[in-house]
Amino acid sequence: MTDTARLIAKFKLSFGVTGIRNAFGSALWFGLTLLIGLIRVMGNLPERLLCATIEFWTDLMAATTWQGRLLGCGLLLGLATLPNWAGASLLPMMISVLWFAYVGQAWNILAGFVGQFSLGHALFVGVGAYLAGGTMVYVGGGPGFGLGLGLGLVVAAALGAAIGALGFRKGMGVNHFALLTVVAVELARLCFTQFDGLRLGIGRALPPSRLLILTPTHFYYIILALTVLLLLFCRILVRSRLGRAWLALREAPIAAAATGINVFRAKLAAVMISAAFCAVAGAFQAISVQIQAAPALDPGRVFSFTGSVEIALGVIVGGTGTLVGPLLGALVLTPFGEGLNLLAARTGHGMLELKPLCYGLILVLVEFLRPAGLWPWLGQRLRLVPGGDLAEGGRR
Amino acid sequence: MSLAFYVNVLIGGLLTGLVYGLASLGLAMIIRVTRVVNFAHGAMMVAGLLAATLPIASRSMDPLMALPPVALGLFIFGFVIQWSLISRLPELPQSCRLLFMVGIAMMAASGLSALFRFGGSGTLLPVALDNLAAANLAAGSFQVDQVRVHAALVAVMVTGGLIFFFNVSRTGKAISACSDSPLGALVIGLDLEWLQAVGFGLGSALTGIAGCLLANTVVVRPTLVQDFTVIGFIIILIGGIDSVGGALAGGMLVGMTEAMAGTLLGPEMKELSAYLLLVLVLLLRPHGLGGRAE
C-alpha cells in the first residue's frame, strides 16, 4: 500500500498541488481515498492497474511541456474524429499513415530496443497477409480470417525465430542479421512466384470479403486502435524485465551478458514479438485490399527489399528507439511517398524510379545529419518535451 | 545421361562460380577492411555488366575491352564514397553505416534502372545470346563455352594479382593490417582513412570486373540488381561474412550447386538451390565456412 501512497503523492505533485488547499484538490483526494478503499476490498489486480495508470499519467506529465500536452490532445482528438470531417481522399491516406506507424512500431521493437536492424520485415507482413488472404479464400469470411490471423501470428513468429536462431549467434554483429533478413525476403518472393502452392501467388485478386462488410471508416478505426494499443504495449514492454534486458544488451552486450541476461534468448523474444505484430498488420492489409488501389496481393510487391526499407524508413526518420518516432515518421513520410506515387502515376512510367531514389536520398541524409532521427530533437526544439534527459533515450 | 554430361555441367558451374567468387571477394573484402556491408554490390555489378555490353552492342568487339575503364571508374566511386562520406559518419552506432549504404544502394539501383530504361541499349539481350551460342571449346567429350572459360581465366588472374598485392606490396600489407586491427594500425602510424578508402575502392573494382565478366552469360532482367546483391550476400554468408577465402570457396560452391540443380531438378530449382545450400551450411557451421566465432 505504501507504493500506492507514494504514487498518489507523485500524482498530486504533477498537478502542482503540494497540499490539499482547494475544493478541487480535496474532491480529488476524497475520490482517490474512496477508490483505494474499493480496491482494498477488490484485491490486488485493480490496484496494480491503478498504479500503472497513475504512473503512466505522472510520467506523461513529467515528459511533456504544456505545449506538448496541448498538441497531443489536439492530435488525439483530431485522429479520433477524423472520419467525420476528412474527405474521401484523406481517409485512405490516414489509414496508410497509421498502418506504417503500426508496422514501424513493431519494427522498432527489434531495431530500436534491441539494436538489431532487420531489412526484411516485409517477410512477416507478407506472411500474415497471405495466410489471412488464403484462409479467407479457402475457408471463407470471418472464421477463415480469424484462423488465418492466428496462423499468421504463429508462422511469422516461427520464421522470425528461425532467422534469429541463425543470426544471433555469439560474435555476430549487426551486419550478419541484416544480411540474413534480406536473403529471407528474397527466398519468400522466390517461393511465392515459382511454387504457387496456395494458388494465390501471381497477382491473384483476393475476393472482397463478403462476411466482413467494412467501410473505410471501419478500417480507419481498426488501424487506429491497433496503433494506439501497440504504442501502449510497447511502453509496457520496454519497462518490463525483458525490455530492460533489451536496452541493456543494446548498450553493452558484454556487460548485459555478465549480469546474467541470456542475450540470445532475449533477442529471440524480440524478433518473435516483432514478427507477430507485423503479421497482424499483414492480415489487416489482406482484408483492406478491397479499398486499396490494386486489390491483389502481388508477391513481387509484397516481398520486396524496397517494401522492407519503406517499413523501416519511417522509424529511422522519426527516431529509432523512441515511442513517438514511428508515428512521427509515418506522419512525415507516408504523405510524401503517396505524393511520389501520385506523381509517378500522372507522368507515366518515366518516374517509376523516383520513389526509391528519394527514399535512398532521405536515408543517406538522415544518417549523415541526424542518425538518431527527428523525435527527441524536434520535440525539444518545438518545446513539446522538456530538454535534457529523456526517458527512453533513442538509438546510440 | 553419361558421366561426361554431369562433369560438363559441373565444370560450367565452376567457371560461373569463379566469377561469383570474384564478386563476393570484393564484397567480403570491403566488410573486412571497413566493417561496412556494400549494399550497392548488385548495382556495381550491373554497372559493370552494362558497360561491358556497350562494345558488344556497337560492334562485335570483345566485352573484356570494357574491363579497365569499369575497374577504374568503380575504384574511384568506391574510394570517394568511403573517403568523403562513410569515414565522416559517426563511429558508434554500427547500424549507421549499414543504413547509409542501404540508402546509397537504393539511389544507385534506381539511377541505373532509370538510365537503362531511358537510353540504354535495348538490343543487348539477343546480341549477348548470340555470343553465348557462338563458340565452344571441345576436348574429347567435354565441351565448355568459350566465353565462360575466358571469364573464369580473367577471374583467376585478378584473384592471383590480388593475393600478390596483399602479400607482397607495402600498401597491400598495410591494408591487411588495418583490417586485422584498426587500432593497432593507427598506433604504428598507418593512415587508416586512406587505406580503408583504397580497400573499399579495390573491392568495388573487383565487383565491377565480375559484372563485366558475366555480361555474356546472364539474361538481362529488371530484377538483376537485386538478384546479384542477394546472391552476393548468400555467398558471403556461406563463406563466413568477412572471410576472403571463404567468399571464393562459397562462390564456386554456389556456382556448381546452381548448375547441378538447374540441370537435375529443373530451372525453377536453380535459384532456390543456393538458398538451400545457405541454410544447410549455416545449420552445420553457423559462422560460415571460413568464419570465426570470436
Side-chain angles (χ1 to χ4, degrees):
Chain A
M1 213 49 223
T2 49
D3 267 3
T4 321
R6 184 177 56 79
L7 281 170
I8 288 167
K10 214 173 150 194
F11 179 67
K12 284 189 295 177
L13 271 174
S14 75
F15 276 107
V17 185
T18 45
I20 305 159
R21 294 202 187 129
N22 50 18
F24 176 66
S26 39
L28 198 72
W29 182 239
F30 180 72
L32 275 175
T33 320
L34 201 70
L35 207 61
I36 289 161
L38 265 174
I39 286 163
R40 293 301 296 258
V41 178
M42 281 169 67
N44 198 21
L45 182 72
E47 181 188 334
R48 286 177 61 186
L49 262 178
L50 181 74
C51 285
T53 315
I54 293 176
E55 183 141 33
F56 178 69
W57 177 258
T58 49
D59 281 356
L60 203 65
M61 284 301 172
T64 51
T65 59
W66 65 266
Q67 295 101 319
R69 281 169 229 162
L70 206 65
L71 189 74
C73 287
L75 194 69
L76 218 59
L77 199 71
L79 283 177
T81 60
L82 190 108
N84 298 325
W85 50 266
S89 59
L90 186 61
L91 197 58
M93 161 94 88
M94 282 312 291
I95 292 176
S96 184
V97 166
L98 287 173
W99 190 83
F100 274 109
Y102 174 86
V103 185
Q105 196 86 57
W107 181 80
N108 196 24
I109 294 175
L110 188 57
F113 300 154
V114 184
Q116 289 284 350
F117 281 70
S118 156
L119 295 168
H121 261 49
L123 170 67
F124 308 129
V125 174
V127 162
Y130 268 104
L131 282 174
T135 45
M136 275 193 327
V137 170
Y138 291 117
V139 183
F145 174 71
L147 183 70
L149 182 63
L151 217 60
L153 283 175
V154 174
V155 173
L159 282 174
I163 299 173
L166 292 176
F168 292 150
R169 303 290 178 119
K170 210 169 273 171
M172 288 183 181
V174 174
N175 294 340
H176 223 114
F177 180 70
L179 290 188
L180 275 173
T181 53
V182 172
V183 172
V185 176
E186 208 56 23
L187 177 58
R189 188 182 62 79
L190 208 63
C191 287
F192 270 89
T193 45
Q194 305 211 334
F195 305 95
D196 193 10
L198 277 176
R199 305 243 167 278
L200 282 169
I202 303 154
R204 167 166 172 178
L206 287 174
S209 39
R210 271 192 223 116
L211 279 183
L212 303 158
I213 307 165
L214 298 174
T215 61
T217 311
H218 290 128
F219 285 123
Y220 175 78
Y221 279 119
I222 291 173
I223 193 70
L224 181 64
L226 281 176
T227 310
V228 171
L229 284 179
L230 185 58
L231 181 69
L232 292 178
F233 180 76
C234 279
R235 191 182 171 282
I236 296 170
L237 202 59
V238 82
R239 274 143 194 279
S240 68
R241 192 182 171 82
L242 186 62
R244 298 295 190 205
W246 289 342
L247 297 186
L249 66 88
R250 180 189 71 183
E251 297 300 326
I254 296 169
T259 57
I261 295 169
N262 187 333
V263 174
F264 181 74
R265 212 177 284 172
K267 284 184 178 177
L268 220 54
V271 71
M272 285 170 78
I273 292 171
S274 181
F277 279 119
C278 276
V280 175
F284 177 82
Q285 219 178 18
I287 56 166
S288 68
V289 281
Q290 50 183 334
I291 61 160
Q292 285 165 8
L297 292 174
D298 170 17
R301 223 158 37 89
V302 170
F303 298 108
S304 70
F305 179 66
T306 318
S308 304
V309 173
E310 209 171 348
I311 290 171
L313 189 58
V315 192
I316 294 166
V317 171
T320 321
T322 62
L323 292 171
V324 186
L327 186 61
L328 177 69
L331 276 171
V332 173
L333 205 67
T334 312
F336 178 66
E338 299 275 318
L340 286 180
N341 279 347
L342 209 66
L343 193 67
R346 284 269 169 78
T347 52
H349 298 295
M351 307 296 270
L352 214 63
E353 281 84 19
L354 199 61
K355 194 173 174 184
L357 191 72
C358 286
Y359 277 16
L361 190 65
I362 291 172
L363 201 49
V364 166
L365 286 178
V366 166
E367 289 308 318
F368 225 82
L369 301 174
R370 198 157 293 286
L374 284 177
W375 173 243
W377 171 78
L378 191 71
Q380 283 164 3
R381 283 301 292 272
L382 299 176
R383 296 175 193 283
L384 301 178
V385 294
D389 183 33
L390 273 157
E392 303 308 343
R395 160 174 145 228
R396 296 281 153 66
Chain B
M1 301 262 179
S2 63
L3 183 68
F5 173 75
Y6 293 118
V7 174
N8 264 341
V9 169
L10 216 55
I11 289 176
L14 183 66
L15 295 178
T16 313
L18 276 169
V19 183
Y20 280 167
L22 182 66
S24 312
L25 185 65
L27 187 58
M29 203 175 96
I30 292 175
I31 296 179
R32 191 164 173 78
V33 176
T34 63
R35 312 280 194 276
V36 174
V37 178
N38 179 18
F39 270 84
H41 181 73
M44 284 176 176
M45 281 183 84
V46 170
L49 192 147
L50 290 180
T53 57
L54 292 180
I56 301 179
S58 58
R59 304 208 195 326
S60 58
M61 286 199 304
D62 201 276
L64 299 185
M65 295 279 288
L67 259 183
V70 163
L72 187 67
L74 278 173
F75 178 84
I76 292 172
F77 179 76
F79 185 91
V80 167
I81 292 240
Q82 168 70 26
W83 175 261
S84 62
L85 299 175
I86 296 178
S87 62
R88 304 273 182 279
L89 284 173
E91 181 77 47
L92 227 151
Q94 271 184 300
S95 54
C96 190
R97 294 164 177 223
L98 181 88
L99 297 174
F100 177 82
M101 275 319 291
V102 171
I104 292 279
M106 287 180 80
M107 285 166 73
S110 48
L112 268 181
S113 151
L115 276 177
F116 184 45
R117 187 170 305 153
F118 291 147
S121 43
T123 56
L124 147 123
L125 188 54
V127 180
L129 279 180
D130 279 352
N131 262 20
L132 188 65
N136 285 337
L137 291 179
S141 55
F142 302 114
Q143 51 175 305
V144 286
D145 312 328
Q146 196 177 356
V147 282
R148 289 195 196 202
V149 175
H150 284 176
L153 275 179
V154 175
V156 169
M157 272 159 54
V158 171
T159 312
L162 207 71
I163 292 171
F164 182 78
F165 173 73
F166 275 112
N167 284 316
V168 175
S169 82
R170 236 179 126 71
T171 318
K173 282 184 191 166
I175 293 177
S176 332
C178 286
S179 59
D180 287 343
S181 164
L183 191 65
L186 275 178
V187 167
I188 60 168
L190 294 177
D191 188 348
L192 191 64
E193 274 189 27
W194 165 263
L195 291 168
Q196 281 187 340
V198 171
F200 201 108
L202 274 179
S204 316
L206 290 187
T207 312
I209 289 173
C212 262
L213 297 179
L214 283 176
N216 271 330
T217 53
V218 164
V219 179
V220 176
R221 50 191 185 271
T223 57
L224 205 56
V225 173
Q226 186 62 19
D227 291 351
F228 276 157
T229 308
V230 169
I231 203 82
F233 287 176
I234 290 176
I235 290 172
I236 61 165
L237 282 170
I238 285 177
I241 195 162
D242 59 353
S243 156
V244 173
L248 265 180
M252 287 188 271
L253 210 56
V254 166
M256 288 194 284
T257 312
E258 279 197 343
M260 282 310 270
T263 324
L264 292 179
L265 307 171
E268 76 272 6
M269 284 302 287
K270 188 182 175 218
E271 286 180 78
L272 202 68
S273 61
Y275 295 89
L276 296 181
L277 183 69
L278 171 68
V279 171
L280 196 70
V281 168
L282 289 188
L283 284 179
L284 296 177
R285 283 184 67 95
H287 288 270
L289 294 177
R292 307 145 295 168
E294 283 159 34

